[in-house]
Amino acid sequence: MEIVPVTEKKKRYLSLLLLADEQESMIDRYLERGTMFLLTDPEAVAVCVVTDEGGGVLELKNLAVTPERQRQGYGRRMVDFLRERYSGEFHTLLVGTGDVPSTLNFYRSCGFRPAFVRENFFTRWYDHPIWEDGKQLVDMVVLSMELC
Ligand SMILES: CC(C)(COP(=O)(O)OP(=O)(O)OC[C@H]1O[C@@H](n2cnc3c(N)ncnc32)[C@H](O)[C@@H]1OP(=O)(O)O)[C@@H](O)C(=O)NCCC(=O)NCCS
């Protein structure tokens, strides 16, 4: 298993990115300015994109594990990798997600804690209603983790 940066042709992994963020125009808002990593084992299993939000804050904008390899620890490994890679360089790692128990459980289990809410994020910025686990997403829940 290895995790490597992807600096060119990031859209090669669009099908993975769309698992975490289903509207391509929203992905376009952070993909080029963000830093992307790919986890292979041995084929492509997971991707993530992080952005420098200024003031020592890094934000995880996209994290996706291919469906047949989910619940095998790859998502957590990606978060652990980010924590190690960016400790010392940033003081906080944020992640924003829908108010959905499965995803919130995942991020809590990785060490994130709820920080604040971006009200109406999904209804304001997406051009269609976003549904997850049978629920329409409205607010974005932002969780945070200290990097030391
Ligand atoms: C969310 C996601 C990144 C998690 O990655 P993963 O590799 O499947 O998760 P892991 O195997 O590392 O899970 C670690 C822990 O998180 C929790 N967890 C993960 N998925 C969960 C789920 N669906 N329901 C409840 N808890 C979950 C569990 O505690 C799990 O540990 P366990 O399997 O020993 O019980 C992955 O499921 C995914 O890509 N989903 C689709 C895209 C997405 O929703 N991305 C996040 C949007 S911001």
Side-chain angles (χ1 to χ4, degrees):
M1 192 213 74
E2 69 172 341
I3 297 175
V4 293
V6 178
T7 54
E8 290 178 341
K9 298 184 186 155
K10 295 175 179 176
K11 288 246 176 135
R12 269 177 295 166
Y13 302 105
L14 184 62
S15 59
L16 270 171
L17 293 164
L18 286 167
L19 290 175
D21 196 347
E22 68 184 52
Q23 188 171 309
E24 188 175 344
S25 63
M26 292 301 284
I27 294 173
D28 290 338
R29 293 164 67 102
Y30 54 76
L31 190 59
E32 283 314 312
R33 74 181 178 97
T35 304
M36 182 174 185
F37 294 98
L38 170 73
L39 183 155
T40 55
D41 190 18
E43 67 278 358
V45 171
V47 290
C48 72
V49 181
V50 290
T51 55
D52 181 348
E53 296 298 306
V57 176
L58 184 72
E59 183 161 341
L60 176 53
K61 295 287 192 184
N62 192 304
L63 170 61
V65 177
T66 194
E68 56 277 13
R69 306 289 282 273
Q70 289 177 7
R71 289 307 284 266
Q72 295 171 41
Y74 291 108
R76 181 182 280 163
R77 269 185 234 177
M78 203 64 128
V79 173
D80 288 345
F81 164 80
L82 292 173
R83 189 193 330 229
E84 282 170 29
R85 166 75 179 72
Y86 288 105
S87 282
E89 197 177 333
F90 291 86
H91 59 72
T92 301
L93 177 62
L94 297 181
V95 65
T97 184
D99 188 3
V100 176
S102 56
T103 317
L104 292 173
N105 261 343
F106 165 71
Y107 285 118
R108 280 174 191 275
S109 88
C110 290
F112 286 92
R113 294 293 169 260
F116 58 93
V117 169
R118 290 178 180 141
E119 285 184 11
N120 302 316
F121 183 88
F122 292 101
T123 45
R124 178 172 179 202
W125 293 106
Y126 286 77
D127 63 17
H128 64 286
I130 307 290
W131 292 81
E132 213 173 309
D133 288 357
K135 182 177 174 184
Q136 187 186 345
L137 304 188
V138 177
D139 299 331
M140 173 180 271
V141 179
V142 181
L143 300 102
S144 106
M145 176 194 287
E146 266 183 46
L147 302 174
C148 41

